[in-house]
Amino acid sequence: MVVTKIIMSNKGNLHEQGFNYALAAALRKCFPAWSTDGYISAERAGAGDYGGRRIDISVDIPDMPRVAVECAYGGDDGKDAANRIADEGIRLDTAISVNIPPAFQGMTEQQAETALDAGAQIGYAVLQRGGYRFPRPGYITGGVRDLAAFMQVASVSKDSVEEVADEVVGRINRAAATLAAGLPATDIADISARMSQRSTLTGMRTIAVLWLDALLVQNMIRRANPAIAKLPLHTETVRPQSLVKEWRKILETNWRSIFEPAVVALERAAASYDKCIGEALRALLEGVEILNSARLGSHINVGAELFPKISEDRKQAAAFYTMPSTAELLAALTIEARDRGRGDWRDPDLFKRMKIADLACGTGTLLRAGLHRVAMLHTANGGDADSLGVLYRDSMESGLTGADVSPIASHLSVSSLVLEGSGQKYSTSNIGWVGVGHKTASRLGGLSTGSLEFFVKSDTADVFSTHETVHHGKKEQTPRTWIKAEDASFDYILMNPPYSRTRKGQSAFDIAGLSGDQRKGCQKRWSKLTADQPADKRAGMAASFLCLARNKVKPGGKIGFVLPLTAAFAQSWDKTREMLVTEFENILAVAVPGGSAGAKNMSADTHMGEMLLTATRKKTETENISPVLCIALDKLPGRCGEAGEVGRAIMQAVQTLTDSHCQVFAGAAEIGRIARFEPAQASSPWSHLSAHNAELGVVASKLASGVLEDLATQQQTKLNCPFTTLDKLFTVGPTHHRIGHMRGGDPIGAFVLDKIQNENDALGRNRALWVANAKTQTALRVLPTHKGVVADQKAAAAIVDKRGTLHYARGLRWTSQKLVAATTPHPVYGGAAWTTLQADDENLLRAFALWANSTLGAVVHWTRGSRTQQGRAGVQVNAIKQIPCPDLRQLPPPRLAAAAAAFDRLAARQLLPVCQLHADPARHEIDQAVMEMLDLPPAPATLAPLRRLWCAEPSVHGGNAQALVMLNSQKQ
């Protein structure tokens, strides 16, 4: 095909065609592989693949879907790019729309190319089949290298990845079924015992995944190093015995953790059941061909895309796997271009002195994202093909450290990293399988706990290297290797740790293959290993792994974590939050307001609120408390290309933040907001996090310290009463465990409790406000829900004086419950849903009930309650003690008495659910009484905007249909 190039004059006046040639030339310099003739062409027209249709720039790179780039001065809002996708004669899934800035019109083509090489800014957006556009609306602004990095990842549509992943999973399942049907039960049991120990897959699926992975890596090695791997891979000609020889030959060079377990299984079965094995391998080779023909290259890997689809019991072990797009976002936020100079990023020996770790690596998604991020920065700063090969080799030999308790997961971690490169040979790696449930020689005793052992040592054996194998009738022992993780040795630590906790001996270390006694032994050792760490076991393993990262990261190094949202709020995380804000700086916390909701998940199948955390270890110890920049994203990026740009947009906003809050933009679209949170105490909950409205988060935080800010005027009023915490006003508790248990439940506490059947039975001894009932607890004064029979005389005597008439909600549901605090006509115990607050002054109790159920009291509770689940704000008993409130003891007695009288007047008024307080006349009367109690101006003018914005928070309304209807009706 002949392409006629339009020659521009030296005087400038650059037309769009000339810009196309300049941009194509600049793109060819962005990545080593892109410089090959024919891969990137401008103004391509004629027959062939494009059916005579002209495309501004065609990007046709092997291992990457074809992309059309359409350019226009001022942009055309993606019209031409959309037309390219809609044109069935071209058959493209992805097109890029480029907005050419007017400044280029005065240039020559050569000047434009030079300007683009130097970083001149352009606008760009991606469009894909199905109506996807990012950003929507507008264009991202960046240089040509930003565009190239974006295009490299954004070229792969999410739908195509899902479609291909499903097809390959089908081949894995077919291969596993073939093995299960064709092998004798004794052989299946033997192979399963060897292969699936500590695995979340059945034995046959484990084998199928191991073989698929080996075939993929073999295929890559054959392209890069044909002297090492010569055997062609065709479904028609594959022979198990030939494959054994080929994999044995590859093992002589390395790739041991990939091929060793695969060849053990293949050699064991192929000797007697060649036909059955051959059929299974052919199914897997079909999977390899599907991946190759889809041109997804390194954009899909068995670990990130396939493993969560075939794993059986990851929920039981809290082994949730990081979404690839989440990993890319976290890597972009943690590994920044400004961390190093251009020369450092360009240096091929960078991984000889820079280290990245994930000590709960799973299938390697975060390590892979970290490697991808470094490789992108390397090439963006001038690295070439040769230096990139050195970088990949060194990443495997020394730059990356990974450990996991699952052998199949750590195996997939290694292979996914190998597949990220292009077949470079490497010696040893620092990624492997760490043992759980084995006896330890440590003075602490107990059984091994996987990566938690790094608390007391700098290395641990890779269990892969301790397996005996059989080859030609002789036992062989793989040379023992070690995974090293020395203190203060890593530049970056990226992790999505297990969230599991110990509950009555369950959950934590509930790993396939461990007995109950082994699990208890691991839990015992976990307690000893973390005894001196700022981590409460009630917070779960995630807090312990965060402390481990704090020990292992260098001063000045950075951590990037996926964590449960409870980390920002729960009292059990107090010590860990204190450690973070005192020992780290430049802290970013990212969440999607509203808790868990399908597409908002950061990990596969958690169905719970999560957050991203990045922070830099302080180089010198200080007593300063670092602020936390709380980022609320409207939605998580669901695609990797989008994730990188969202990360870049966040960091641009962070670097320009001059106020307490600002917006985050991608193109012309606001995609999130940032609020600066200044903790009052080091352990304070991060109240701004997951607040949709950043300004509201700031106002709520001020209110919790006793300052009311008018959202409309920004006028601040100090409440005419000093603030304190609940434990200073009241005796709080006891916990429900001390009170008793429901009949038929675990025999704990003083009483056996039964439900009260009618109002006449509410009066009597040993009554309790045990549960929350949104249907009956509709006013400030309620009746007890349960009655108790003494089960333990001593325990009952110890709490006989712990009854009260005021009770605070523990597991509050904004969407259905009406009360933050409830009162009972007579003193009763609290319970599982209510915690008793005691004081001698009856006026104080009544006045506080008004405060807690006012708009101000609800908002303050919101700053402390967990936002892990939509529409809920649970608090632990110890956290209740620390909830801020006015010190009502300081009010003049007449005002306190007037508040108590107002309570008596309002006690029977029927209330709407708290999330509807903006439209609740009874709640507004409570608000007015509280304003009078605090000697503040009338409520409507000050509180109306606060009510409206707070009820509009996703974490408050929780998507409740009635609440949304009421919010929308108020807009009209």
Side-chain angles (χ1 to χ4, degrees):
M1 179 178 66
V2 177
V3 178
T4 303
K5 182 175 178 180
I6 298 177
I7 306 298
M8 308 305 301
S9 73
N10 291 329
K11 296 181 180 180
N13 193 28
L14 186 68
H15 293 291
E16 288 178 5
Q17 286 176 303
F19 179 83
N20 294 342
Y21 286 113
L23 179 58
L27 284 170
R28 293 186 194 106
K29 303 169 192 172
C30 289
F31 297 110
W34 288 23
S35 61
T36 303
D37 288 343
Y39 282 3
I40 299 178
S41 54
E43 296 293 313
R44 182 171 179 172
D49 290 342
Y50 297 93
R53 297 163 181 81
R54 173 167 289 174
I55 291 178
D56 286 357
I57 301 173
S58 168
V59 179
D60 197 356
I61 312 291
D63 292 335
M64 172 179 150
R66 291 181 306 177
V67 177
V69 180
E70 295 294 332
C71 308
Y73 277 106
D76 63 357
D77 199 28
K79 180 179 177 182
D80 285 349
N83 289 338
R84 295 296 173 264
I85 293 172
D87 191 335
E88 293 299 327
I90 298 178
R91 296 183 181 178
L92 290 172
D93 283 337
T94 303
I96 303 290
S97 176
V98 171
N99 180 352
I100 313 171
F104 282 93
Q105 287 182 311
M107 301 181 187
T108 65
E109 184 182 317
Q110 184 57 54
Q111 288 171 338
E113 182 181 337
T114 301
L116 289 167
D117 289 341
Q121 301 290 283
I122 56 176
Y124 52 91
V126 62
L127 290 84
Q128 289 178 336
R129 286 188 184 275
Y132 173 76
R133 186 188 197 277
F134 181 81
R136 186 193 299 269
Y139 289 88
I140 302 163
T141 300
V144 68
R145 292 188 181 276
D146 296 317
L147 169 60
F150 176 66
M151 191 190 310
Q152 190 180 45
V153 184
S155 63
V156 180
S157 73
K158 186 176 182 180
D159 290 343
S160 65
V161 170
E162 283 290 320
E163 183 179 339
V164 168
D166 287 339
E167 289 187 38
V168 176
V169 165
R171 297 325 191 268
I172 291 172
N173 289 335
R174 197 174 90 200
T178 299
L179 293 173
L183 296 178
T186 53
D187 282 3
I188 290 175
D190 179 57
I191 295 172
S192 295
R194 290 169 177 262
M195 293 294 108
S196 63
Q197 182 186 16
R198 306 285 189 272
S199 175
T200 55
L201 298 178
T202 62
M204 297 301 99
R205 274 188 178 176
T206 299
I207 292 171
V209 170
L210 290 172
W211 289 350
L212 174 69
D213 225 17
L215 291 168
L216 286 168
V217 176
Q218 177 187 351
N219 192 51
M220 181 193 68
I221 294 172
R222 186 171 183 270
R223 293 199 307 265
N225 295 289
I228 297 173
K230 295 181 179 179
L231 183 68
L233 292 176
H234 300 297
T235 55
E236 300 84 5
T237 59
V238 65
R239 296 289 181 270
Q241 294 294 354
S242 300
L243 210 52
V244 167
K245 292 179 181 178
E246 185 80 352
W247 289 356
R248 282 287 174 193
K249 182 181 176 183
I250 293 172
L251 278 171
E252 292 174 3
T253 304
N254 200 350
W255 298 282
R256 185 167 296 280
S257 62
I258 298 168
F259 287 95
E260 180 118 39
V263 79
V264 167
L266 184 59
E267 197 169 40
R268 174 72 178 82
S272 303
Y273 304 101
D274 189 274
K275 183 178 179 180
C276 166
I277 303 303
E279 186 178 342
L281 288 170
R282 281 188 286 276
L284 297 172
L285 279 171
E286 287 177 16
V288 172
E289 290 176 0
I290 289 168
L291 289 169
N292 290 339
S293 62
R295 297 181 63 172
L296 296 182
S298 64
H299 299 290
I300 188 170
N301 72 82
V302 175
E305 304 291 353
L306 307 185
F307 193 63
K309 294 177 181 289
I310 55 177
S311 181
E312 284 113 3
D313 67 349
R314 62 189 182 278
K315 285 187 181 181
Q316 183 183 18
F320 300 109
Y321 295 94
T322 314
M323 301 288 192
S325 53
T326 300
E328 292 290 336
L329 174 58
L330 185 59
L333 294 174
T334 308
I335 306 173
E336 296 183 75
R338 60 178 180 166
D339 291 345
R340 283 171 171 72
R342 179 176 173 83
D344 273 351
W345 285 123
R346 186 174 58 240
D347 186 355
D349 294 327
L350 177 61
F351 269 126
K352 283 186 169 65
R353 60 182 183 277
M354 185 184 77
K355 297 181 185 298
I356 302 174
D358 182 351
L359 301 179
C361 66
T363 57
T365 306
L366 282 168
L367 284 175
R368 189 170 179 267
L371 175 58
H372 179 261
R373 175 73 175 161
V374 172
M376 186 272 288
L377 290 168
H378 175 72
T379 54
N381 285 282
D384 57 22
D386 290 338
S387 66
L388 192 60
V390 173
L391 195 79
Y392 282 130
R393 182 201 65 200
D394 289 350
S395 72
M396 293 301 299
E397 291 186 344
S398 60
L400 300 177
T401 296
D404 199 83
V405 298
S406 166
I408 184 64
S410 48
H411 162 91
L412 292 173
S413 186
V414 175
S415 63
S416 69
L417 292 167
V418 167
L419 288 167
E420 184 73 9
S422 55
Q424 290 82 10
K425 291 189 290 185
Y426 63 95
S427 55
T428 59
S429 76
N430 207 35
I431 303 163
W433 169 22
V434 288
V436 175
H438 307 299
K439 288 185 178 181
T440 64
S442 168
R443 60 179 176 78
L444 296 176
L447 302 181
S448 59
T449 59
S451 289
L452 295 176
E453 297 299 313
F454 287 121
F455 272 117
V456 292
K457 53 184 172 180
S458 60
D459 57 32
T460 188
D462 177 2
V463 183
F464 272 129
S465 73
T466 62
H467 273 183
E468 285 186 341
T469 61
V470 178
H471 181 42
H472 299 310
K474 298 180 180 179
K475 283 188 177 181
E476 293 184 347
Q477 178 72 50
T478 304
R480 190 175 181 87
T481 58
W482 298 84
I483 304 168
K484 297 181 180 179
E486 297 176 347
D487 286 353
S489 65
F490 294 104
D491 299 87
Y492 302 100
I493 295 180
L494 302 172
M495 227 188 297
N496 184 353
Y499 299 167
S500 50
R501 297 184 291 168
T502 300
R503 293 180 176 178
K504 300 177 184 178
Q506 301 298 314
S507 190
F509 299 101
D510 193 0
I511 299 169
L514 284 187
S515 68
D517 287 342
Q518 287 176 309
R519 184 169 58 243
K520 289 177 182 177
C522 292
Q523 291 170 356
K524 183 177 179 180
R525 183 165 173 81
W526 173 27
S527 296
K528 292 179 179 178
L529 288 171
T530 58
D532 298 327
Q533 299 296 324
D536 189 326
K537 279 185 64 181
R538 294 176 302 158
M541 282 191 181
S544 297
F545 273 93
L546 198 52
C547 292
L548 183 62
R550 163 257 216 162
N551 294 353
K552 300 301 177 181
V553 73
K554 292 178 178 178
K558 299 167 81 173
I559 60 172
F561 268 70
V562 184
L563 293 171
L565 194 55
T566 51
F569 296 96
Q571 183 269 336
S572 58
W573 279 83
D574 279 0
K575 291 192 294 185
T576 312
R577 282 196 300 273
E578 183 175 352
M579 176 269 290
L580 281 168
V581 299
T582 54
E583 299 186 28
F584 287 80
E585 58 192 356
N586 303 323
I587 303 171
L588 303 182
V590 182
V592 177
S596 62
K600 297 175 183 176
N601 291 345
M602 297 177 179
S603 308
D605 297 328
T606 56
H607 302 298
M608 64 183 293
E610 294 179 284
M611 58 183 279
L612 302 182
L613 173 75
T614 69
T616 303
R617 188 82 154 93
K618 290 180 179 178
K619 291 184 178 180
T620 56
E621 293 185 10
T622 68
E623 295 183 358
N624 297 334
I625 297 176
S626 299
V628 181
L629 297 186
C630 298
I631 296 123
L633 289 179
D634 291 335
K635 66 174 185 176
L636 282 174
R639 306 165 190 240
C640 289
E642 183 181 328
E645 289 296 341
V646 169
R648 193 160 69 94
I650 289 173
M651 297 315 300
Q652 286 176 343
V654 165
Q655 290 162 25
T656 58
L657 178 66
T658 58
D659 199 354
S660 61
H661 52 86
C662 71
Q663 298 160 295
V664 180
F665 284 93
E670 180 181 321
I671 62 170
R673 292 144 298 280
I674 301 177
R676 184 193 302 273
F677 175 67
E678 305 275 357
Q681 288 86 35
S683 61
S684 294
W686 298 347
S687 60
H688 295 12
L689 189 61
S690 84
H692 180 268
N693 187 299
E695 193 168 358
L696 175 66
V698 174
V699 169
S701 183
K702 290 177 181 177
L703 179 59
S705 64
V707 176
L708 176 60
E709 179 174 315
D710 189 319
L711 278 160
T713 65
Q714 283 77 55
Q715 181 177 349
Q716 295 185 8
T717 303
K718 190 170 183 178
L719 301 185
N720 295 320
C721 185
F723 258 50
T724 185
T725 53
L726 285 183
D727 63 339
K728 301 296 192 301
L729 277 183
F730 306 106
T731 299
V732 181
T735 65
H736 66 287
H737 301 96
R738 293 185 63 196
I739 298 168
H741 61 278
M742 294 292 293
R743 189 173 297 279
D746 291 338
I748 57 174
F751 304 104
V752 177
L753 293 155
D754 294 290
K755 185 177 180 181
I756 292 173
Q757 299 300 321
N758 56 67
E759 290 187 11
N760 294 331
D761 203 19
L763 184 62
R765 299 176 60 193
N766 305 330
R767 278 9 183 210
L769 188 63
W770 189 262
V771 298
N773 187 326
K775 293 182 179 179
T776 60
Q777 296 165 355
T778 58
L780 295 175
R781 185 170 285 137
V782 302
L783 294 175
T785 61
H786 287 71
K787 58 184 179 180
V789 176
V790 175
D792 185 323
Q793 290 285 356
K794 185 176 180 181
I799 63 169
V800 69
D801 60 345
K802 300 300 183 182
R803 292 170 296 177
T805 58
L806 178 64
H807 312 273
Y808 201 87
R810 286 186 57 189
L812 185 58
R813 289 175 179 255
W814 299 119
T815 54
S816 59
Q817 288 178 237
K818 286 81 177 175
L819 301 171
V820 178
T823 64
T824 53
H826 307 283
V828 301
Y829 295 106
W834 299 96
T835 296
T836 302
L837 306 180
Q838 290 180 299
D840 293 332
D841 189 340
E842 283 295 325
N843 285 347
L844 176 65
L845 295 171
R846 288 179 168 86
F848 179 81
L850 283 180
W851 161 264
N853 288 293
S854 70
T855 296
L856 301 183
V859 172
V860 169
H861 180 94
W862 178 69
T863 67
R864 295 301 188 266
S866 173
R867 297 175 198 164
T868 303
Q869 295 176 294
Q870 293 191 79
R872 298 191 185 188
V875 284
Q876 298 163 321
V877 172
N878 284 335
I880 289 176
K881 296 177 181 179
Q882 299 304 311
I883 290 177
C885 64
D887 189 348
L888 301 177
R889 297 169 301 184
Q890 306 300 318
L891 292 178
R895 262 199 274 146
L896 192 61
F903 170 87
D904 291 336
R905 175 171 50 86
L906 296 169
R909 289 292 304 273
Q910 296 297 295
L911 299 168
L912 295 176
V914 187
C915 73
Q916 299 171 21
L917 61 77
H918 64 98
D920 187 351
R923 190 85 58 177
H924 297 174
E925 290 187 55
I926 292 174
D927 284 344
Q928 186 59 48
V930 167
M931 298 294 274
E932 292 173 1
M933 176 177 73
L934 298 176
D935 195 24
L936 293 172
T942 306
L943 296 187
L946 178 61
R947 290 173 184 145
R948 179 69 179 74
L949 283 182
W950 183 74
C951 289
E953 280 292 316
S955 61
V956 175
H957 65 65
N960 179 269
Q962 181 61 32
L964 293 175
V965 167
M966 296 178 74
L967 284 167
N968 290 331
S969 66
Q970 274 208 339
K971 290 181 182 179
Q972 300 169 359

